[in-house]
Amino acid sequence: MSNPVAATAPIVLTVCVTCRRGLSPSELGEALPPGRLLYEALQTRLSEGEVMLRPVECMSSCNRGCMAAASMPGKWTFLLAGMGPEKADDLVEWVKLYSASKTGMVPVSKRPASLADMVIARLPGATANTEKPL
């Protein structure tokens, strides 16, 4: 069975590893931030070559919980927020759907239920055909 993620150019999945998901530094204490836990959960679920998993220190969406961005040549870039390590499996499934889509669009009806309202923005990719004639 072919894997739709591996069959195309790699997806870049950028994850904010410093996200505290609303916890103050004192509430977090010595624990790893939820964003780091999400990143580590994704590392164990994604095969090398499927997705280029990239950590970043801040995506400036602190009040929205853990954030990730998915991008791929010729497709829209999507920002997802309100996630945590418990949604890693669903995020991997969404990434596969994103990869298989011609434009990157994944209808709400096809997303894993836990990610139904996690997409907060879509941005045109560098080579996405998003122009309409004037």
Side-chain angles (χ1 to χ4, degrees):
M1 181 176 179
S2 67
N3 182 334
V5 176
T8 60
I11 297 167
V12 177
L13 184 62
T14 304
V15 178
C16 177
V17 296
T18 56
C19 178
R20 294 190 311 260
R21 203 176 187 185
L23 298 172
S24 70
S26 62
E27 290 173 311
L28 189 60
E30 296 297 316
L32 289 174
R36 172 60 70 178
L37 295 173
L38 173 61
Y39 176 81
E40 289 178 1
L42 291 168
Q43 281 184 309
T44 66
R45 287 164 174 81
L46 296 169
S47 299
E48 192 172 323
E50 279 185 314
V51 175
M52 183 185 303
L53 187 59
R54 184 174 68 175
V56 294
E57 292 208 1
C58 185
M59 292 180 77
S60 295
S61 186
C62 303
N63 62 345
R64 291 185 182 253
C66 298
M67 180 172 243
S71 60
M72 195 172 183
K75 298 186 181 198
W76 289 92
T77 294
F78 282 85
L79 299 176
L80 298 95
M83 294 182 295
E86 73 283 354
K87 295 184 181 175
D89 288 330
D90 288 344
L91 183 54
V92 169
E93 180 60 29
W94 181 89
V95 164
K96 290 177 183 178
L97 294 168
Y98 171 85
S99 174
S101 168
K102 183 178 179 180
T103 63
M105 295 290 296
V106 179
V108 173
S109 63
K110 295 195 185 249
R111 293 178 199 161
S114 76
L115 301 183
D117 63 349
M118 298 299 165
V119 173
I120 62 167
R122 70 178 184 153
L123 308 167
T127 59
N129 183 8
T130 58
E131 294 184 25
K132 291 184 181 179
L134 295 176

